[in-house]
Amino acid sequence: MAAVEYRIDRRSGVPAFQQIVQQTKQALRLGVLVPGDRLPTAKDVSETSAVNPNTTLKAYRELEREGLVEPRPGQGTFVRRTLGRVETGTDSPLYEELVAWMSKAAEAGLEQEDVAALVASALEKQFATGTAAVMGATTTRSTGE
């Protein structure tokens, strides 16, 4: 079985089933979960994360609806496909650069919440305007300007 352990933040305002969906997708993107891996049972998630087993089953149904997992009666729920790319794995150069940046942030005295706020802000800025910027850069390169 894959090593995925759900951490439910009851103060976040995000329903527990959505946190399970999000954390599963993150594990799929990072290559922690790969096709064929079995997800923890609803009972196991209930015991480790203090959520109702039905909450986990609701999350797994959502993941199944998206085509990411499939239930196998009597065996469990298994990963059907990944969301990962080579560039997003924990062994990629981008990951190493991010870890190095976070080390610098910690050395500068930033706390986890500070780093999370910076990353969230940078993500919002990049992806709010990133599509237009990337499109412009691609057009410029392809026309040779």
Side-chain angles (χ1 to χ4, degrees), residues 3-24:
V4 63
E5 188 173 312
Y6 298 107
R7 289 180 177 77
I8 306 303
D9 180 359
R10 301 199 187 297
R11 296 172 292 153
S12 72
V14 176
F17 89 93
Q18 285 182 330
Q19 291 184 50
I20 292 171
V21 168
Q22 291 167 347
Q23 291 174 33
T24 302

Side-chain angles (χ1 to χ4, degrees), residues 68-89:
L68 298 172
V69 302
E70 65 180 343
R72 296 182 192 162
Q75 297 179 358
T77 302
F78 292 81
V79 174
R80 287 187 64 199
R81 67 181 179 90
T82 184
L83 293 173
R85 300 180 190 157
V86 173
E87 307 85 33
T88 60

Side-chain angles (χ1 to χ4, degrees), residues 47-69:
E47 291 171 358
T48 60
S49 302
V51 295
N52 186 302
N54 289 328
T55 300
T56 302
L57 294 174
K58 182 177 180 180
Y60 287 5
R61 281 191 303 273
E62 175 65 19
L63 293 163
E64 178 185 7
R65 189 186 65 71
E66 294 182 30
L68 298 172
V69 302

Side-chain angles (χ1 to χ4, degrees), residues 2-5 23-24 26-34 37 82 90:
V4 63
E5 188 173 312
Q23 291 174 33
T24 302
Q26 181 178 4
L28 291 168
R29 281 188 184 89
L30 294 174
V32 173
L33 289 173
V34 297
D37 284 346
T82 184
T90 55

Side-chain angles (χ1 to χ4, degrees), residues 48-141:
T48 60
S49 302
V51 295
N52 186 302
N54 289 328
T55 300
T56 302
L57 294 174
K58 182 177 180 180
Y60 287 5
R61 281 191 303 273
E62 175 65 19
L63 293 163
E64 178 185 7
R65 189 186 65 71
E66 294 182 30
L68 298 172
V69 302
E70 65 180 343
R72 296 182 192 162
Q75 297 179 358
T77 302
F78 292 81
V79 174
R80 287 187 64 199
R81 67 181 179 90
T82 184
L83 293 173
R85 300 180 190 157
V86 173
E87 307 85 33
T88 60
T90 55
D91 57 349
S92 77
L94 290 174
Y95 179 80
E96 294 302 322
E97 289 177 29
L98 184 58
V99 169
W101 179 85
M102 289 194 176
S103 293
K104 288 180 188 175
E107 289 169 9
L110 297 180
E111 295 182 10
Q112 184 174 345
E113 292 82 12
D114 302 322
V115 172
L118 281 172
V119 170
S121 176
L123 280 169
E124 186 176 313
K125 181 178 180 182
Q126 176 61 34
F127 290 100
T129 59
T131 304
V134 170
M135 294 288 284
T138 302
T139 305
T140 302
R141 271 189 248 122

